[in-house]
Amino acid sequence: MGKIIYWMNTSIDGYIEGPDGGMDFPDPDEDFHQAATDHVRRIAAFLFGRRLYEAMEKPWTQDLGKEGAPAFEREFAQLYKETPRYVFSDTIQTVPEGVTIVRRKDAASVVTRLKQEIDGTLQLGGPELATSLLDLIDEFWVYAFPVIVGGGKPYLPVREALRLRLVEHRSFASGTMFRRYVRP
């Protein structure tokens, strides 16, 4: 049985996007990239909301990871392209090979099936998608970058408290903090 991890990068005040909607506030160093690459090596599939898919797909399949880029960037790009990707959207009509479109109305049933069929980690990204699939998430991962953005889109826009237990934390030389939580 698979395990679903919800992972998003945030500011230290808990936003994945700044007030202008940009996700460019993190300035990751090589230590973060290496940790992300190590994690992606163990991913069985990516489960993306539409906006995160669009933010990830073109850069990692076309723009980044080319010859001349740092080795860690090239490796991440290669792993990303080799990993099955599911995009949850009602507006996207076509996707490249390796990507599957899932309509929002089918999200819970598809993710439940994937969790039962895939023996590995399913990485979920996108706060609205995560909120809609909250009961299926096993772990919550936060990489908090050393910046305060003062508003924007929160890590997880839930309407009620969700108690979690911290099971891992570490800091990187760049000032980024990693925290991994599970349900008690």
Side-chain angles (χ1 to χ4, degrees):
M1 177 174 249
K3 173 173 65 172
I4 297 179
I5 294 172
Y6 173 54
W7 168 12
M8 292 296 297
N9 300 336
T10 72
S11 59
I12 62 171
D13 53 346
Y15 295 99
I16 65 154
E17 294 179 356
D20 63 354
M23 293 169 35
D24 56 351
F25 60 83
D27 188 18
D29 287 339
E30 187 172 345
D31 57 353
F32 168 80
H33 281 290
Q34 189 59 56
T37 300
D38 291 345
H39 172 67
V40 171
R41 276 191 198 97
R42 299 183 304 271
I43 296 295
F46 289 105
L47 312 175
F48 290 135
R50 180 192 53 83
R51 288 199 60 214
L52 184 59
Y53 165 77
E54 290 173 342
M56 295 286 289
E57 190 68 11
K58 185 177 183 290
W60 289 111
T61 60
Q62 297 174 28
D63 300 337
L64 302 172
K66 294 189 171 157
E67 193 170 324
F72 61 84
E73 188 176 281
R74 290 192 316 270
E75 183 179 9
F76 184 93
Q78 188 61 41
L79 291 166
Y80 178 86
K81 288 186 274 191
E82 293 170 355
T83 304
R85 299 174 304 283
Y86 295 81
V87 58
F88 294 76
S89 172
D90 290 331
T91 58
I92 293 177
Q93 298 303 316
T94 61
V95 291
E97 186 176 332
V99 180
T100 302
I101 298 172
V102 178
R103 300 304 177 201
R104 291 274 179 177
K105 68 180 176 55
D106 301 323
S109 63
V110 169
V111 172
T112 298
R113 180 181 54 79
L114 291 172
K115 192 172 180 178
Q116 292 169 350
E117 293 177 357
I118 295 175
D119 186 26
T121 300
L122 304 168
Q123 182 180 314
L124 175 66
E128 289 86 13
L129 180 62
T131 300
S132 73
L133 300 171
L134 193 59
D135 292 338
L136 296 172
I137 299 172
D138 299 295
E139 295 186 5
F140 299 82
W141 289 27
V142 181
Y143 281 90
F145 287 80
V147 62
I148 294 173
V149 297
K153 186 177 285 188
Y155 169 79
L156 192 62
V158 295
R159 300 200 192 293
E160 56 190 56
L162 176 63
R163 301 277 179 219
L164 301 172
R165 182 172 51 89
L166 180 67
V167 293
E168 182 182 357
H169 64 91
R170 65 181 160 167
S171 60
F172 294 90
S174 62
T176 300
M177 299 293 296
F178 169 71
R179 297 180 315 268
R180 180 171 65 98
Y181 298 92
V182 298
R183 296 170 189 271

